[in-house]
Amino acid sequence: MNNHLFSIAIHGGAGTILKSEMTPKKEKNYRDALQEAIFAGIAILKNGGSAENAVVTAVTVLENCDLFNAGKGSVFTHEGTHEMDASLMEGLTLRAGAVAGVKHIRNPIILAQSVMNLSPHVLLLGEGAERFAESIGMEKVPQEYFSTELRKKQLEAIRNSGKVALDHSVSEEIHKKRGTVGAVARDKAGNLAAATSTGGMTNKRFGRVGDTPLIGAGTYASNQSCAVSATGWGEFFIRGVVAYDVAALILYNKFSLQEAVRHVIHDKLGKLSPIEGEYGDGGLISVDNQGNIVMDFNTPGMYRASCKEGEPVFTGLYEY
Ligand code: ASP
């Protein structure tokens, strides 16, 4: 029975997103892209479509937009390549699919969905994931498809520094901005789903994989609690098992969604021991099985949008 109202939230990364660094045109571009993605998800949910399809569709729109660090517009590795990660989970049966380190897949989130629906596996890696893509007739694209001038500049700026950066720009400050994308939704049947996709960190090497393709770290969904998609410095989100921690606080400690997210993002994440002097930062979007939406971050901003059935769409970039 369709007696639930749908809810959906999306993000395009958290980090140092400052109004002072935005031009009205740039800001409009981001808001337009977020709106396009959330309306694509809403169109599915409105017609009784599944949360799974809504989150995959919204993330696909964001992957196709080169403003974000996922799909087209992904950051460069140290070697000057693109290696992308994505994952999907649905909350009714706890099925999940993910890919890590793929190089020629136009929409890594669609491959993650195929892993979930067409294979007996959860996580496929690199060349193997690409062979799986070929086996199901998925088109492969050249690496250049993902490249943009901005990402090239970002790599050049830090290539020889030995550092990795999680961000969008060449400036030191904007190195704190992240463009990973994600979506969470509850559909009219009351089912939850979460999806996340990223190009990872600029200048990453040695096959580094972040939290995005790891179920429980960057993505989690269970109808018993909530759906979560995270963005931020992946190593901290892995160590904090962030997405699952939010769900566990709801399930076992009877926290509200807001209390759980607040505790994980503001109390726990920043207390993990630092990496090269820096503390874990980032944020997440989440929806619980009652349709409540919480989007929170410990950075100056997070690209985000949300909508509950019957209410207007919200888009936000900064803290307010
Ligand atoms: N979490 C992603 C990673 O560490 C980065 C991001 O959120 O932008 O790969």
Side-chain angles (χ1 to χ4, degrees):
M1 289 304 296
N2 285 349
N3 52 2
H4 295 276
L5 297 178
F6 71 73
S7 298
I8 180 166
I10 63 169
H11 71 77
T16 309
I17 300 160
L18 299 173
K19 201 159 197 172
S20 54
E21 288 176 355
M22 274 284 173
T23 62
K25 188 170 179 292
K26 228 165 111 184
E27 179 168 335
K28 185 176 180 310
N29 289 344
Y30 277 107
R31 287 196 195 270
D32 287 351
L34 290 168
Q35 295 234 0
E36 189 190 339
I38 197 157
F39 277 115
I42 290 171
I44 289 173
L45 295 169
K46 216 189 211 161
N47 293 324
S50 68
E52 174 194 330
N53 279 338
V55 295
V56 169
T57 301
V59 167
T60 301
V61 171
L62 294 168
E63 284 179 341
N64 291 343
C65 172
D66 67 7
L67 292 174
F68 303 104
N69 172 22
K72 192 172 179 56
S74 285
V75 297
F76 281 93
T77 65
H78 183 73
E79 291 75 25
T81 61
H82 304 283
E83 293 179 6
M84 292 155 286
D85 309 328
S87 68
L88 167 72
M89 185 165 190
E90 61 91 18
L92 176 64
T93 60
L94 305 187
R95 290 181 313 131
V99 293
V102 294
K103 292 183 174 169
H104 302 99
I105 307 300
R106 187 189 295 268
N107 291 110
I109 196 61
I110 295 179
L111 186 56
Q113 185 181 31
S114 304
V115 172
M116 180 172 107
N117 290 329
L118 304 176
S119 91
H121 308 299
V122 169
L123 174 57
L124 297 182
L125 178 68
E127 280 174 25
E130 302 219 355
R131 283 201 304 277
F132 171 70
E134 276 168 29
S135 79
I136 58 169
M138 194 173 273
E139 178 206 7
K140 287 171 73 175
V141 294
Q143 284 260 286
E144 297 74 58
Y145 166 77
F146 304 101
S147 308
T148 63
E149 275 311 307
L150 172 66
R151 302 294 183 221
K152 261 184 213 149
K153 282 190 195 144
Q154 289 175 333
L155 176 64
E156 294 314 324
I158 62 160
R159 193 175 207 159
N160 299 320
S161 70
K163 286 195 171 177
V164 285
L166 295 122
D167 343 316
H168 258 278
S169 171
V170 291
S171 91
E172 193 58 37
E173 208 22 48
I174 300 182
H175 275 176
K176 298 241 162 92
K177 189 190 291 178
R178 298 168 181 104
T180 288
V181 307
V184 293
R186 182 180 77 153
D187 60 32
K188 288 186 182 224
N191 292 319
L192 303 182
T196 316
S197 180
T198 190
M201 296 163 68
T202 300
N203 208 26
K204 67 183 181 181
R205 32 193 329 197
F206 310 125
R208 180 266 183 189
V209 173
D211 58 315
T212 302
L214 301 183
I215 297 302
T219 304
Y220 189 74
S222 166
N223 283 6
Q224 288 198 295
S225 51
C226 63
V228 177
S229 170
T231 170
W233 193 329
E235 277 69 8
F236 292 96
F237 283 71
I238 295 172
R239 291 162 58 202
V241 202
V242 163
Y244 183 72
D245 199 18
V246 172
L249 286 166
I250 293 171
L251 192 61
Y252 302 122
N253 290 30
K254 309 295 174 211
F255 277 36
S256 69
L257 181 66
Q258 191 155 17
E259 287 166 347
V261 172
R262 173 147 276 287
H263 187 53
V264 170
I265 295 296
H266 295 282
D267 300 338
K268 297 180 82 173
L269 201 55
K271 293 214 177 91
L272 290 170
S273 60
I275 298 172
E276 293 179 343
E278 293 205 44
Y279 286 89
D281 56 5
L284 61 82
I285 55 168
S286 56
V287 58
D288 69 13
N289 56 14
Q290 304 303 304
N292 297 306
I293 294 171
V294 174
M295 305 187 285
D296 205 353
F297 41 96
N298 63 14
T299 48
M302 180 167 78
Y303 299 111
R304 62 200 186 280
S306 65
C307 180
K308 280 173 147 183
E309 187 169 6
E311 295 180 16
V313 168
F314 163 86
T315 60
L317 273 62
Y318 318 107
E319 207 166 328
Y320 46 87

